[in-house]
Amino acid sequence: MTKENNAQLNIKTLEHLNQHKNFPMVPRVVFGRGSFSSLGSILLPKRRNSDAPFIFLVDAFFEGSDLENRLPLLFNDQVIYVSAEEEPKTAQVDALVQKLKSDYTEEPSGIVGIGGGTLLDLAKAVALLMTNAGSSSLYQGWDLIQKQGLYHVGIPTISGTGAEVSRTAVLMGPEKKLGLNSDYTTYDQVVLDPDFLATVPKDQWFYTGMDCFIHCVESLEGTYLNAFSQSYGEKAYDLCKEVFLGDIDQKEAEEKLMMASWHGGMSIAYSQVGVAHAMSYGLSYVLGTKHGIGNCLVFQFLEEYYPEGVALFNQMMQKHQITLPKGVCANCTAEQLDTMATISLSMAPLWENALGADWTSKISKEKLIAIYKKI
């Protein structure tokens, strides 16, 4: 990432993003080791009455752990453990919403999501669909949510996706993988406790961290780049280099990666991601590949678009002795490859950010399929 590239701010950016759009940010955040213990006092004033519970959607990884005893449960609060092995689905959101509406006559006081990007996106979506009628698949897109959701709190236990700060909840739907992108999606409260990151397996730590790094590369190299997104993106980019290429201890790395994720998520409030994310969506939709590793699988072959970023990515993999799976698409049918490319090309804002307004003349389904075949 050269200083010259970083300095070339595109004045057309805001035209692409509904000029002077008043984007929301997370209004309240608490950071620090042990800050999870403040959750009870945060939720207490938000409880409407004893019959209006808080619903805790928690990564199934923590079932049976000491976290169960640390949850500030009162009255008829409910804990629902959810597997994060697969990407969150619209059908899963709809089923949870139906369950909660049948379990309680009183509307819940709020939703608390505890986990990685999968749980954080799921919790945001459930909070929205509790107050917006119909299937969550109807709201996959931009600014389709019409009503404010339930009060919702996000507590990341792994860092990199930026889901804790973003205005989208990415879901796998019956026809596409796409987020519920709206001003109502953003969390009302976030708790950033780096102690959680000590539980993350090394490969998952790397893949999710690379989601943040790739996120920053795409934002900083994009045609949507502006001073707002650049300021956050550069900070997250530098933090990722410290974490994955520097010589720092584990606790410092955990704290810095948590802040890289936060800044990386903020970097696209007035910007967008690019080629790797667009292609990862296709890979995930067809093969169910998790988002973090999906970005890595694609990014390794994108030197044409992000030469410096790919070079650093390779250094990071070597330093941490990460070997990506091979032959992931080896047995894909022509129909599956075509679907991957079709899903990817449907992400028009991502492609426009990556390649410019005339992006359709610079990329083709055939070129995408050729890249997928390498994975």
Side-chain angles (χ1 to χ4, degrees):
M1 197 71 57
T2 66
K3 291 182 180 179
E4 289 76 18
N5 285 338
N6 286 341
Q8 291 173 356
L9 304 183
N10 191 326
I11 62 173
K12 294 182 179 180
T13 299
L14 299 183
E15 296 174 6
H16 293 299
L17 295 170
N18 190 2
Q19 191 169 27
H20 304 138
K21 174 97 174 141
N22 190 15
F23 284 113
M25 296 184 184
V26 175
R28 289 188 175 273
V29 57
V30 56
F31 170 81
R33 293 188 178 277
S35 60
F36 180 78
S37 62
S38 65
L39 182 59
S41 61
I42 289 171
L43 298 184
L44 191 59
K46 300 297 181 180
R47 292 182 180 274
R48 295 197 312 279
N49 57 64
S50 60
D51 293 321
F54 268 99
I55 309 301
F56 294 79
L57 300 180
V58 183
D59 190 328
F61 172 85
F62 293 102
E63 189 169 6
S65 73
D66 66 344
L67 179 66
E68 289 186 337
N69 298 322
R70 298 171 60 202
L71 295 173
L73 304 179
L74 292 175
F75 311 120
N76 57 345
D77 288 353
Q78 184 175 172
V79 181
I80 301 175
Y81 290 101
V82 181
S83 171
E85 291 301 312
E86 296 183 352
E87 301 276 287
K89 297 178 174 60
T90 55
Q92 186 181 23
V93 172
D94 296 346
L96 283 168
V97 169
Q98 184 177 7
K99 169 181 168 53
L100 295 178
K101 287 185 175 181
S102 63
D103 283 353
Y104 301 100
T105 55
E106 181 87 15
E107 184 176 82
S109 292
I111 308 292
V112 180
I114 303 176
T118 292
L119 266 294
L120 295 178
D121 281 349
L122 187 68
K124 287 189 283 190
V126 169
L128 292 174
L129 268 295
M130 289 295 292
T131 59
N132 289 270
S135 169
S136 54
S137 63
L138 300 174
Y139 301 100
Q140 286 183 282
W142 281 265
D143 299 307
L144 300 176
I145 296 287
Q146 298 299 309
K147 297 180 181 178
Q148 183 173 346
L150 297 182
Y151 174 79
H152 46 303
V153 179
I155 305 173
T157 60
I158 183 171
S159 289
T161 69
E164 66 274 16
V165 70
S166 75
R167 69 187 294 273
T168 187
V170 180
L171 302 177
M172 190 78 71
E175 298 179 356
K176 55 196 171 187
K177 178 183 176 182
L178 191 59
L180 312 186
N181 298 275
S182 83
D183 285 356
Y184 301 109
T185 307
T186 310
Y187 275 112
D188 298 297
Q189 170 79 56
V190 169
V191 177
L192 299 175
D193 188 338
D195 281 342
F196 278 114
L197 302 193
T199 66
V200 181
K202 182 179 179 180
D203 282 3
Q204 187 60 47
W205 166 82
F206 184 84
Y207 297 143
T208 309
M210 286 303 97
D211 184 18
C212 180
F213 174 71
I214 294 167
H215 187 148
C216 296
V217 171
E218 292 177 320
S219 175
L220 292 169
E221 295 285 351
T223 65
Y224 285 10
L225 185 63
N226 58 84
F228 185 98
S229 59
Q230 183 180 13
S231 62
Y232 283 103
E234 285 181 341
K235 184 61 179 177
Y237 183 85
D238 289 343
L239 285 168
C240 283
K241 287 197 296 183
E242 284 188 64
V243 170
F244 293 103
L245 291 176
D247 184 20
I248 57 178
D249 64 36
Q250 181 179 340
K251 288 197 171 184
E252 185 179 1
E254 290 166 354
E255 293 168 2
K256 288 192 171 183
L257 183 56
M258 186 161 268
M259 295 319 302
S261 179
W262 182 271
H263 283 77
M266 285 300 302
S267 73
I268 60 165
Y270 261 96
S271 182
Q272 221 359 307
V273 285
V275 179
H277 276 74
M279 293 192 68
S280 177
Y281 274 59
L283 196 66
S284 179
Y285 182 83
V286 174
L287 299 181
T289 308
K290 291 282 288 182
H291 184 68
I293 190 172
N295 280 335
C296 292
L297 289 169
V298 173
F299 195 67
Q300 64 181 322
F301 298 113
L302 298 185
E303 188 175 10
E304 175 183 351
Y305 304 102
Y306 309 112
E308 185 175 341
V310 172
L312 284 173
F313 172 73
N314 288 333
Q315 290 179 37
M316 292 172 181
M317 282 205 300
Q318 183 176 5
K319 179 178 175 65
H320 296 282
Q321 300 180 324
I322 299 294
T323 301
L324 294 176
K326 298 185 184 300
V328 174
C329 295
N331 297 319
C332 288
T333 65
E335 182 179 4
Q336 286 177 311
L337 291 167
D338 185 82
T339 300
M340 286 182 195
T342 299
I343 292 291
S344 177
L345 289 170
S346 71
M347 311 300 293
L350 281 65
W351 287 106
E352 184 171 354
N353 179 51
L355 304 179
D358 58 343
W359 66 270
T360 55
S361 66
K362 297 178 180 178
I363 194 68
S364 67
K365 185 179 289 188
E366 291 72 25
K367 186 163 187 176
L368 293 187
I369 290 173
I371 296 173
Y372 281 127
K373 285 182 176 180
K374 295 178 183 179
I375 297 174

